[in-house]
Every structure is written in C-alpha cells, then in structure tokens.
Amino acid sequence: MAENNKQNQNVLEVAIDAPLSRLFDYLPPATAGAVLPGCRVQVPFGRRSVTGMVMGAASHSELPREKLRRVQAVLDDVPLLFDADLKLIRFVADYYHHPIGEVVAAALPAPLRKGRPLYPVLQQITVTDDGERCDASTIGRRAPKQAELLQLLQDAGSIPATELDEQMPGWRRVLPGLAGKGFATIRELQETDASPDEPCERVAGPSLNDEQRSAVDSIRAGEGFCVSLLDGVTGSGKTEVYLRVIERVLEAGRQVLLLVPEIGLTPQLVVRLEQRLGITPALLHSALADNARLDAWRRARNGSAPLIVGTRSALFVPLKNPGLIIVDEEHDASLKQQEGLRYSARDLAVVRGKHEDIPIVLGSATPSLESLQRCRDGAYSHLRLPHRAGSATPPLLRLVDISASNLNDGLSQTVIDAMREELQSGGQVLLFLNRRGYAPTLICTACGQIAECERCDARMTVHAGSAQLRCHHCGAIRPLDSQCVTCGGACLPLGHGTERLEDAIAAQFPGYELARIDSDSTRLKGTMTRALARATEGRTQILVGTQMLSKGHHFPKLSMVAVVNADQGLFSTDFRGGERLAQSLVQVAGRAGRERRQGQVIVQTAFPKHPFWNELFSGGYERVAEAALAERQKTAWPPFSKIALLRAAAHKRDDTHRFLQDARRHAERAGVAGVRILGPVSAPMERLAGRYRGQLLMQSVNRRELHELLRPLRATLEGMPSARKVRWSIDVDPIELF
Ligand code: ADP
Ligand code: ZN
C-alpha cells in the first residue's frame, strides 16, 4: 500500500497559467514529502520559473522520465484549495473548454496567483541586550553601515522589516554582521486572520406572509443538493426569504455564499444583512484592493467568515464548511463573464451545489428562461411570490404611443403631465433611458455626414459636458467639433442620451432636485453612494438614469417611472432580445411604489401594436416568458438546444474568415452527428477597435454531442497555423450571439 502511494506520487500534474489546455507533468522535489493536490509549486516552464497548482499525482507520465523536470519549491504546507474546489476547476476547464491553468488563475486572488504566501511572514528585527549596551560609534570606524543599523535599532528597540526597507534599504546585507556580533536578532511571525467580529445587535424582521413562509419551508426541507427558483415580483420579499434561510444555515454552523450581480452589491444590501443577521459579511468583488480581497478569501477558506457576499468570481472561493449558495437576480447578464474564461456563475453555482451536496437558491423577479424551463422539467422547485409584501400594491402600467406625437426633448406630453402631477403632490420620479451621453449621433446639417469611430463600425456618441465624441464600443475619444470636418458645415446632435435628458428636465422642471445616475456621472469614487443616499432619503425628486438604476435599489419614495425609449429592444437580432427587454422593463418598473403610495409606470413606444406589449401588459413577465419559451421550442433555440460560439477577430477580414473556415472544416470532419454548424458569419458590428469580427455557431439538442465536438476542436485550434493571426475564443452557452 505504502509502496503504491509512493508510486502514485511519482509524477505531479500541475496546472500552469498558460493558454494551453493540458496539465504539465513534473517530478516532485527530491527532499520534500508528499505534495498534496491543491498546493502551489514553483516550477521551471520553458526558460522561466512560474507558479503552478498541483491538480493531482500519477504513477507515470507520457514523457520519458529523463525529460521530466523537477519542482523547484513547494509553496504551501497545506493545500490552498479543497478537493471540491479542484473538482470544480476541472469541471470548468472541461465544460467551457478553457485552459485549466487559466481557470486556476481565475479562482485565486491576485497575490496568491503570483506565488505569495497565503499568510505573509512578518520579519521583526530586534536589538539584543548586548546590542543595547554597545556604543555604536566604537564599531562605526570599521563598519559604518553596521553602526547605522545598530543606532536605528537602539532608538526603536525593534523594527519590522518592511519599515527598515524604507529607512535603510541595504539593511539585509548589513544585518548578518550585527547578528554575528550578537547585537541583533531577526524573528519571523506568521500573520494570522483577525479574530471574527463580535456579533452586533440584531433587528427583528417582519413576520412572513404565507407565501414567504412556504418558500422558506420548502427550501429548508431539502436535504443536501436541491435547486429552488425563488420567482417573486419586485418587492415580494425575496430578500426576507433569503434572510430566514441564511439564519438557519448559520445557526447550524455552516457558511453561506450569496452571489449578486455587479450593480446589486449595494451598501443598502450590506447594511440590511448586518442589521438582520448581526454579522458583517465578507465581501468579494472586483473593486476591492488586493489585500482586502485576499483577507476575505482567507476567511472564507478557514471558515471564520460565516457569510460571504460577492459578485460572479466569488463563486470560486473555497469554503471550509459550505451550507448554502444563493444567486440573487439569477437572470442578470453580469453573472456571466464575457471575456477570457466565459463562465456563468449561476450555472456553476448549481454544479458546485451538486459537488458539495448543498442546497442552491436562485432568485429573481424575472427568471431566465433557462431556469423556468428547468422548473417545468421538474429539476428545480418553482417557488412563487406573486404579490408584493406588506402594504405595497403593484404599480399601474401605461403605454404611450409616440409614433405620431411631437416629442418635447424625447418626452411625450403624457409623461410631462404625469411628472408634474407626481412632483406637485410630493412624489419622486425616475426617467429610465438606457443610453448614456448627450446624443447618440452627431450629424452635419450641410452634407449629412455622421461622425463615426475610426476603429469601429459605429457612431460616436456626443458627450456635451466634456465636449467630446466618444465611442462606446472601443473607448476612442476625440474633441467635439461644432463644424463638419469634411465640409465645414454646422454639426447637430441627434437623439437623446441621459445627459441631454437631464438638461431638458432641468429646464422644464426648475426648482426640483435632479440627479443623473449613469456610469459617466458616477465615475468618481463615492459619487454613486452619495447620489443613491440622497435618492433613498427622497431628497432627490427627479432621477435620470440608465440600467444602473434599474436593479437592486430601493427608493421608498419613488412613485413614478417613465421608460423614455423602449424600442431599441423590440427588434433585436438576438433570440434573447424579447426576454432581455421584458426583464429590464419589469425590473425598472419594480422600482415604483415600493412602499405606501401606489406607483405608476409609463412606457413610451413608437410601436404600440407590437405583440410584445400585449403579452407584457396582459400577463406580465410570466406571459412574455411563456410566449418566448414556446417560440424557442419551435425554433430549437436554448433552452431547447445547447449552443457554443467560436468567435474570432483579426486586423484583416480575410484572416478572420480563413480561420473560421478552417475551424468549420475540422468541425465537420470530426463528424459528430446531431451538431449543426452555422457560419462563418461576420458580426453585425463587424469592426471593433480595428479588428474584424466573425463567428461560427455550433448547436445541438444534446449537450453531450456538442462537447464531443468541442473537445477535440479546441486542441486542433490551438495548433492551427491560421489561428496565429487571430484572437479567438470559445463561448459555451453564450448569452449574447454577437
Ligand atoms: P424583494 O427582495 O423581493 O425585492 P424585499 O425582501 O426587499 O423584496 O421586500 C420588499 C419590502 O417589503 C421591504 O421593505 C421588506 O422589509 C418588506 N417586507 C418583506 N416581507 C414582508 C412581510 N412579510 N411583511 C411586511 N413587510 C415585508
Ligand atoms: Zn470605436
């Protein structure tokens, strides 16, 4: 048995952060004992030395033994990652057809990725009693540097190495001399986690209504892995349900991971969790500094953080004692990473739940069609909260036809009148326009030329405040000319963005406090928090904003929402267009009338006869979802089929298409029955940041077949000559088709 173990340890399988799918074999270090999976190692890689992650051990390698290189150092005494984490990493690499070393990199906080210790070692340099008594000037003549260091130590008694690095940069060379004379010592301390916060005062929540109680009971009743879709209209008390379920899991001494969309991680949510649960959640999101992130990660790993709240990448955090994962706003696009490793944190939460045998709760007012279909299949339990909690009533919905009427700065008379009435009676109004900037187009009134981006097939957006033209696709910026570069004619901004709407509203409704909230107005640190606080308190009377305002926020005084232009989504080329539009409208409408006052929602459209409106207004999101599912079933789009996209981009259009053609040939040759291959086609906005984009769509009713095709295809693409001229990526379960 022991002999066997030793045999199995002969070769270590190491994941390395490189764009290659495979693991790399290394010999274990000659001296150390067994190296466990989940530990990091320093290994030679080409001519470099890199940090890798031991994923497993094998008894032999395909490489001849004399070709195998040896691990240079083992960086962890105990595994950084648990077996369940390694299993998840392997699953992700396999499912998304992504290099496993890059998956490991995505799962680790930056300092650990770079090979830093989990807990930094602190060095403390201390003067000894002899050193204290020694007159520094007596050694000064022969060893002036030693005298200088001794003097520093005598003055301070003891100094951390990090401080000495600043005070006397060369001290490390000098110290051995002083230590040799018995005048100084160096001590190494391992930093440890701060002890967990004392629980604070807790505020009791409302007593649950029947629907909430039965949702809580149903989630609690499940033992081990099960998935519940908590499908509740905005304000129905989903968060209350989470809180009760979390409470119980924490009482049982297990950890909870709560995943939220990027804009859903608000100070409001954190305060509510603190007040109700009496603990401070550990936060994991991309805006944190490296050390804060590492700290939260460590506390999740060693079990001292009972509740972890984070955005999508937090899905990978190791948990000592996992008990529950909740994914809030499970339909939200930000749960899917759209670059590099294109994973869905929602889908992986379910996979992780299965691996760890714990319950999963997916919550939304507008669930994804994927999750709704899983409920129909009986794989998830469908828990509904169809009514608003407490005393709030659902908002009144109205559609305004703007095809014929004259608009006043983008607003119909109906909206203006309704606003005036609301404001005069002390209400708060939100104008939703999903387009930032002043105007989406700048046109020359003489020659008709439109300002376009030089590197994209896209128009430049006018930003009046900064007097710039900006491309919202590649970020290009140029000064805003009032005269046409071609003919010298006068240029005119066409259409409305939030910036222009803000100006127009300020002119029409003087004397009211107005705030614009979009990614331009909230770029400065702290401005978003301040603006939201004023809006929550009800001091801001008119809010103008994009998508940013449509989620997660609770404005108690908000009584009216106007959707300025809903039509962009009606004619989307993407099969998800209808689902997305309904989600964003229902989410923003859900902001209105969350407390006592009944809210109203007015939607402006130039296409009031479009069947979408009838579905939405007669049956709400549920009806839209039903119709969309029926449509998808007929056309065999997801969730009734599985798709993957091979995207490519290159500076020359030919390179893009040659690569995709080659890929198509290989895919066809693989001959997996049941997989349809569509393309190559150019993206509708073909040129982005100077690169021509194209893609190949692979579709199959059966998930297994699709992966049977993708697995060898990925390996082939890595070695294909035409791949060297393009940037390419595989996107499994893409949420955007282009
Ligand atoms: P959601 O997460 O579904 O949007 P919340 O849990 O935030 O809903 O609840 C919306 C509002 O209703 C909150 O102010 C909350 O305190 C209140 N609320 C929730 N459940 C109840 C209940 N059973 N009785 C009274 N008020 C409730
Ligand atoms: Zn551009």
Side-chain angles (χ1 to χ4, degrees):
M1 190 64 202
E3 190 54 39
N4 229 338
N5 263 339
K6 216 172 155 211
Q7 281 263 313
N8 287 341
Q9 278 282 310
N10 261 349
V11 178
L12 297 178
E13 298 168 331
V14 178
I16 286 169
D17 190 358
L20 293 167
S21 299
R22 37 181 288 251
L23 292 170
F24 296 86
D25 291 348
Y26 286 91
L27 295 173
T31 51
V35 183
L36 294 172
C39 288
R40 290 168 303 159
V41 286
Q42 194 69 28
V43 292
F45 188 66
R47 294 189 188 167
R48 296 177 299 148
S49 171
V50 300
T51 305
M53 171 65 69
V54 178
M55 297 298 296
S59 52
H60 71 281
S61 169
E62 281 170 17
L63 281 179
R65 207 172 161 82
E66 59 279 10
K67 283 247 168 119
L68 286 176
R69 300 169 83 180
R70 209 171 267 289
V71 164
Q72 293 160 325
V74 181
L75 303 182
D76 300 301
D77 303 332
V78 290
L80 265 193
L81 299 174
F82 301 118
D83 287 345
D85 305 317
L86 298 177
K87 190 170 172 187
L88 183 67
I89 287 169
R90 283 183 185 269
F91 175 89
V92 171
D94 187 52
Y95 184 84
Y96 292 105
H97 301 278
H98 199 83
I100 191 161
E102 293 185 9
V103 179
V104 172
L108 294 180
L112 299 181
R113 209 180 303 149
K114 292 178 199 143
R116 305 255 175 77
L118 178 61
Y119 292 97
V121 176
L122 304 176
Q123 294 177 318
Q124 188 81 18
I125 297 83
T126 309
V127 64
T128 60
D129 289 346
D130 284 350
E132 195 70 74
R133 281 190 294 270
C134 171
D135 179 355
S137 61
T138 59
I139 56 172
R141 250 165 292 130
R142 306 186 64 190
K145 286 281 173 198
Q146 287 186 19
E148 188 190 335
L149 181 57
L150 182 60
Q151 191 68 57
L152 281 173
L153 291 171
Q154 284 176 343
D155 292 347
S158 180
I159 310 180
T162 44
E163 260 175 54
L164 266 185
D165 285 340
E166 281 172 22
Q167 294 182 17
M168 189 181 165
W171 69 273
R172 282 174 201 275
R173 261 174 286 120
V174 183
L175 183 70
L178 264 194
K181 295 191 173 90
F183 291 160
T185 57
I186 184 161
R187 266 192 315 148
E188 297 202 334
L189 306 168
Q190 187 106 62
E191 190 192 331
T192 49
D193 292 311
S195 48
D197 306 333
E198 285 295 307
C200 44
E201 229 17 67
R202 297 165 59 162
V203 182
S207 44
L208 300 184
N209 60 35
D210 291 347
E211 287 150 354
Q212 286 171 312
R213 196 164 313 119
S214 81
V216 170
D217 290 345
S218 163
I219 297 168
R220 278 188 193 159
E223 286 219 10
F225 173 66
C226 58
V227 185
S228 309
L229 176 66
L230 185 61
D231 176 358
V233 299
T234 38
S236 60
K238 292 185 293 299
T239 313
E240 278 307 318
V241 171
Y242 299 157
L243 284 165
R244 299 304 160 104
V245 180
I246 293 174
E247 220 165 23
R248 186 58 77 83
V249 176
L250 298 183
E251 275 165 15
R254 303 179 77 176
Q255 293 169 286
V256 177
L257 174 61
L258 171 59
L259 294 180
V260 294
E262 263 150 30
I263 18 191
L265 187 48
T266 59
Q268 284 173 333
L269 174 68
V270 175
V271 168
R272 190 163 168 198
L273 292 169
E274 276 172 359
Q275 286 177 341
R276 294 292 304 286
L277 300 167
I279 50 169
T280 307
L283 301 183
L284 275 172
H285 56 87
S286 53
L288 286 177
D290 277 357
N291 278 336
R293 229 177 130 84
L294 178 58
D295 184 57
W297 194 89
R298 285 193 309 222
R299 291 196 296 125
R301 177 183 169 278
N302 72 15
S304 66
L307 172 63
I308 298 96
V309 183
T311 48
R312 64 174 176 256
S313 66
L315 183 271
F316 290 106
V317 76
L319 297 170
K320 176 131 189 251
N321 229 330
L324 169 72
I325 303 176
I326 300 175
V327 183
D328 190 25
E329 309 289 357
E330 65 90 36
H331 66 281
D332 195 275
S334 77
L335 288 166
K336 167 109 187 186
Q337 178 142 306
Q338 307 264 34
E339 55 186 27
L341 172 59
R342 293 165 162 81
Y343 66 96
S344 156
R346 175 198 60 214
D347 297 350
L348 289 181
V350 174
V351 172
R352 186 169 180 181
K354 198 183 274 175
H355 289 174
E356 311 238 29
D357 197 27
I358 56 171
I360 303 298
V361 176
L362 309 177
S364 176
T366 52
S368 63
L369 298 191
E370 278 77 3
S371 297
L372 286 172
Q373 186 56 33
R374 300 294 285 152
C375 290
R376 291 179 169 193
D377 294 342
Y380 297 177
S381 28
H382 198 171
L383 311 176
R384 289 175 220 241
L385 304 178
H387 305 112
R388 283 197 165 183
S391 52
T393 39
L396 287 173
L397 285 170
R398 260 198 292 172
L399 201 60
V400 176
D401 181 358
I402 53 167
S403 59
S405 59
N406 278 332
L407 295 184
N408 222 323
D409 278 306
L411 297 179
S412 60
Q413 200 54 45
T414 315
V415 166
I416 292 172
D417 292 345
M419 274 182 80
R420 183 151 289 133
E421 209 169 293
E422 284 292 343
L423 292 169
Q424 277 165 1
S425 59
Q428 186 184 38
V429 176
L430 164 63
L431 296 173
F432 175 69
L433 177 58
N434 214 2
R435 192 191 266 156
R436 61 195 174 81
Y438 187 80
T441 302
L442 184 71
I443 190 167
C444 168
T445 50
C447 72
Q449 171 146 312
I450 286 171
E452 290 185 339
C453 178
E454 282 159 18
R455 306 166 67 221
C456 302
D457 294 328
R459 295 174 176 187
M460 298 294 276
T461 300
V462 181
H463 284 254
S466 53
Q468 285 171 335
L469 287 174
R470 293 196 205 152
C471 173
H472 286 186
H473 303 281
C474 73
I477 293 179
R478 52 179 202 254
L480 174 61
D481 289 319
S482 49
Q483 282 169 343
C484 176
V485 277
T486 316
C487 76
C491 287
L492 191 72
L494 272 191
H496 286 80
T498 46
E499 202 186 349
R500 188 172 202 173
L501 191 59
E502 181 192 20
D503 282 1
I505 298 291
Q508 290 228 27
F509 295 91
Y512 290 103
E513 183 171 324
L514 165 65
R516 168 165 62 96
I517 300 189
D518 57 29
S519 57
D520 298 318
S521 70
T522 54
R523 194 153 288 157
L524 283 177
K525 208 174 152 85
T527 47
M528 177 79 172
T529 317
R530 271 197 302 280
L532 286 175
R534 283 191 83 78
T536 309
E537 289 160 18
R539 283 201 268 182
T540 312
Q541 291 147 306
I542 310 174
L543 290 160
V544 173
T546 54
Q547 194 91 342
M548 258 191 157
L549 268 187
S550 70
K551 293 177 208 169
H553 304 299
H554 180 47
F555 304 118
K557 301 258 165 54
L558 190 71
S559 50
M560 170 180 163
V561 170
V563 179
V564 177
N565 185 352
D567 294 339
Q568 288 153 297
L570 278 183
F571 303 99
S572 168
T573 44
D574 198 310
F575 70 92
R576 278 181 223 272
E579 178 188 0
R580 288 256 172 277
L581 177 63
Q583 284 165 346
S584 92
L585 291 177
V586 170
Q587 292 286 345
V588 70
R591 302 304 110 204
R594 302 248 300 177
E595 268 164 30
R596 278 162 298 277
R597 241 177 120 109
Q598 185 177 28
Q600 62 168 326
V601 178
I602 306 180
V603 179
Q604 298 194 140
T605 177
F607 306 92
K609 298 254 154 56
H610 196 290
F612 175 84
W613 297 119
N614 185 28
E615 286 158 14
L616 186 67
F617 280 77
S618 64
Y621 181 75
E622 205 180 330
R623 176 72 58 82
V624 175
E626 242 165 56
L629 273 174
E631 182 67 28
R632 298 231 197 134
Q633 185 153 28
K634 249 193 318 198
T635 48
W637 279 113
F640 300 95
S641 67
K642 302 289 163 204
I643 56 176
L645 272 183
L646 173 63
R647 293 195 184 87
H651 287 291
K652 292 191 193 128
R653 183 188 275 119
D654 284 352
D655 289 342
T656 302
H657 284 263
R658 189 166 311 118
F659 167 78
L660 291 172
Q661 290 290 4
D662 287 353
R664 180 177 178 126
R665 248 193 319 280
H666 282 290
E668 280 169 345
R669 214 171 295 152
V672 181
V675 182
R676 269 212 304 166
I677 305 171
L678 301 160
V681 292
S682 297
M685 192 187 108
E686 187 176 17
R687 205 164 46 106
L688 173 71
R691 286 194 167 80
Y692 291 85
R693 304 182 301 159
Q695 64 195 34
L696 205 60
L697 178 85
M698 288 154 277
Q699 182 179 37
S700 152
V701 170
N702 175 317
R703 188 190 295 276
R704 213 194 61 245
E705 288 169 349
L706 184 61
H707 288 266
E708 249 171 56
L709 173 72
L710 289 172
R711 207 160 291 128
L713 184 62
R714 160 106 218 170
T716 310
L717 297 180
E718 279 174 9
M720 227 161 62
S722 57
R724 274 180 230 128
K725 295 187 176 156
V726 301
R727 285 188 185 168
W728 61 273
S729 64
I730 292 177
D731 191 349
V732 177
D733 307 329
I735 58 165
E736 251 150 56
L737 267 201
F738 297 101

